[in-house]
Amino acid sequence: MPLLRDIAREILGDSYASIIWKRIEIIGDIAVIRKPFGIDIDILRRLGIEMLNRLKYVKSVWLAVTPVEGDYRTREYIHLAGEYRSETVYREHGCSFLLDITKVYISPVLSYDHMRIAKLVIEGEKILNMFAGFGGYSIVVSRYAKPSYTLSIDINPYAVKYMRINIELNRVEAINDVIEGDALTIADGLRCCFDRILMPLPELVYRAIDKSIDLVKNNGFIHPHIFINANNRREAFEKASKTLLEYIERYRVIGRVMGGHVIRSIAPRKYHVTIDIQIIKN
Ligand SMILES: C[S@@+](CC[C@H](N)C(=O)[O-])C[C@H]1O[C@@H](n2cnc3c(N)ncnc32)[C@H](O)[C@@H]1O
C-alpha cells in the first residue's frame, strides 16, 4: 500500500511516518492505527481524515489506545475519523467475516496461519478449536480442507455471536459446532478424540496443553501458541519447540515437532510462535 505510506509521510514527516506505517491495519473498510508514543491525537486525526479522503476503501478510522488485553483479548479504541462504526466485513482467503473490532480479537497477522493449518488438515479430520474468536481458523479450514467436524469454543459472547453468523455466511454450518464458555472447563466434558486441536491463545498455552493430551487421538496433532524470548526468529522456533516438548514430557506420551510458524515479533527479542506437535500415545 504505497499510497498509505505516502499519506503518512506527508502528514507526519519521514521519521514519524516510518513508525506509524507499521502500526496501521486495514480490517474490512476500517483502518486501525495502533497508537505510538509521542504523536499527538490531533495529528493522528488529520492522518485519519486524509486516509478517508484518499483511500476510497476506508470508511472509518480508529485509534487503538491499549494493547490487546483481558480475557477477550480486545483493545480500547478512540474514533478518529469517518463513519462512527466499528463493525465491518473482514475478508481473508475468499472467506467473509462480520466482526466488531472493539468487541472481538482481530489481527490480520493470523491470516497466514489460518491457511497454513488448512493445508495440513486431511479429509475427514475432527478438529477442536479451543480459542476460536470470530471463527478465522475454523472457517478457513472448513472452506479449504475437508474436515468431517469442527468444534469451536470461545469465552467471549460477541466472538461466539459473530462466529455463528460467519459460519452461516461462509456456508460451513453442516460441519461446525460452536460452544460459548471457558474452553478449559468445557474440555473436561468432551469425549475423546480429536485429530487436531488448535489453541491460538499463548496466555493459556500450558493449561490448554493439559486438556489437549486426553482429547487428542493417538498420532493426532496439537497446535499450541506460545510467547518466547529469543534473539531471532530461528532461535524463537527452536526454543518454543524445546520448551513445549519438555512440558509434554510430563505426560506419558511422545511429542514430535512436525512444523510450525513464527507468527510475529511482539517486542524486542520476544516472539509469538506456534508449533505443530504430533502426539504419540503408547
Ligand atoms: C487470540 S484470540 C483467538 C484468535 C482467533 N482464533 C483467530 O483466528 O482470529 C483468543 C480468543 O480466546 C478467547 N478466550 C480467552 N480465554 C478463553 C477461555 N478460557 N476459553 C475459551 N476462549 C477463551 C478470547 O475471547 C479470544 O477470542
Side-chain angles (χ1 to χ4, degrees), residues 138-139 142 147-152 167 172-178:
S138 304
I139 292 169
S142 299
S148 60
Y149 178 69
T150 301
L151 176 61
S152 301
I167 285 171
V172 289
E173 58 271 43
I175 52 168
N176 276 274
D177 268 346
V178 176

Side-chain angles (χ1 to χ4, degrees), residues 249-268:
E249 266 175 17
R250 71 187 54 206
Y251 296 96
R252 291 165 67 183
V253 298
I254 297 167
R256 227 188 250 156
V257 171
M258 304 301 281
H261 170 53
V262 178
I263 288 179
R264 66 183 133 198
S265 143
I266 50 166

Side-chain angles (χ1 to χ4, degrees), residues 10 44 68-69 173 181 217:
E10 276 173 39
L44 295 171
V68 166
E69 58 192 7
E173 58 271 43
K217 258 186 195 159

Side-chain angles (χ1 to χ4, degrees), residues 68 71-73 105-107 110 113-114 116-117 127-138 151-154 163 183 196-205 208-209 222-227 263-264 272-275:
V68 166
D71 283 351
Y72 297 171
R73 313 309 297 143
Y105 175 91
I106 164 68
S107 175
L110 284 180
D113 206 54
H114 292 159
R116 191 186 72 83
I117 293 292
I127 299 171
L128 172 63
N129 185 355
M130 294 180 75
F131 310 111
F134 63 85
Y137 281 102
S138 304
L151 176 61
S152 301
I153 304 173
D154 204 284
M163 182 162 35
R196 199 174 291 280
I197 303 183
L198 314 179
M199 37 189 97
L201 181 58
E203 289 79 0
L204 292 184
V205 58
I209 290 176
I222 62 170
H223 300 275
H225 287 224
I226 187 170
F227 292 140
I263 288 179
R264 66 183 133 198
H272 174 175
V273 185
T274 179
I275 302 292

Side-chain angles (χ1 to χ4, degrees), residues 201-268:
L201 181 58
E203 289 79 0
L204 292 184
V205 58
Y206 296 114
R207 296 178 65 198
I209 290 176
D210 292 344
K211 302 293 174 180
S212 73
I213 299 292
D214 277 348
L215 287 177
V216 71
K217 258 186 195 159
N218 180 29
N219 292 324
F221 292 86
I222 62 170
H223 300 275
H225 287 224
I226 187 170
F227 292 140
I228 214 88
N229 294 316
N231 290 312
N232 53 53
R233 287 177 169 251
R234 188 179 171 158
E235 187 183 304
F237 187 90
E238 281 162 11
K239 275 180 84 176
S241 304
K242 186 164 178 282
T243 306
L244 291 168
L245 286 185
E246 276 172 11
Y247 187 78
I248 286 165
E249 266 175 17
R250 71 187 54 206
Y251 296 96
R252 291 165 67 183
V253 298
I254 297 167
R256 227 188 250 156
V257 171
M258 304 301 281
H261 170 53
V262 178
I263 288 179
R264 66 183 133 198
S265 143
I266 50 166

Side-chain angles (χ1 to χ4, degrees), residues 52-234:
L52 282 176
N53 289 339
R54 291 174 45 186
L55 304 173
K56 290 301 162 212
Y57 53 87
V58 175
K59 302 289 182 224
S60 180
V61 185
W62 290 78
L63 183 68
V65 291
T66 65
V68 166
E69 58 192 7
D71 283 351
Y72 297 171
R73 313 309 297 143
T74 49
R75 299 174 186 274
E76 297 276 317
Y77 292 86
I78 292 173
H79 178 251
L80 281 185
E83 292 175 27
Y84 190 84
R85 167 171 61 75
S86 49
E87 191 178 73
T88 188
V89 177
Y90 164 66
R91 291 197 170 80
E92 186 187 287
H93 306 302
C95 301
S96 300
F97 300 100
L98 182 71
L99 54 85
D100 185 324
I101 59 160
T102 65
K103 294 201 162 67
V104 304
Y105 175 91
I106 164 68
S107 175
V109 82
L110 284 180
S111 164
Y112 174 85
D113 206 54
H114 292 159
M115 185 53 92
R116 191 186 72 83
I117 293 292
K119 288 179 178 165
L120 297 175
V121 171
I122 293 167
E123 186 168 349
E125 282 192 6
K126 251 179 90 181
I127 299 171
L128 172 63
N129 185 355
M130 294 180 75
F131 310 111
F134 63 85
Y137 281 102
S138 304
I139 292 169
V140 172
V141 165
S142 299
R143 280 288 294 270
Y144 286 94
K146 290 196 170 86
S148 60
Y149 178 69
T150 301
L151 176 61
S152 301
I153 304 173
D154 204 284
I155 203 167
N156 175 356
Y158 291 105
V160 167
K161 177 187 106 171
Y162 284 113
M163 182 162 35
R164 289 197 166 117
I165 292 171
N166 292 330
I167 285 171
E168 288 199 8
L169 208 58
N170 293 281
R171 305 212 176 98
V172 289
E173 58 271 43
I175 52 168
N176 276 274
D177 268 346
V178 176
I179 304 181
E180 178 185 326
D182 177 358
L184 301 175
T185 311
I186 290 165
D188 291 335
L190 296 177
R191 291 232 238 112
C192 187
C193 290
F194 292 89
D195 297 282
R196 199 174 291 280
I197 303 183
L198 314 179
M199 37 189 97
L201 181 58
E203 289 79 0
L204 292 184
V205 58
Y206 296 114
R207 296 178 65 198
I209 290 176
D210 292 344
K211 302 293 174 180
S212 73
I213 299 292
D214 277 348
L215 287 177
V216 71
K217 258 186 195 159
N218 180 29
N219 292 324
F221 292 86
I222 62 170
H223 300 275
H225 287 224
I226 187 170
F227 292 140
I228 214 88
N229 294 316
N231 290 312
N232 53 53
R233 287 177 169 251
R234 188 179 171 158

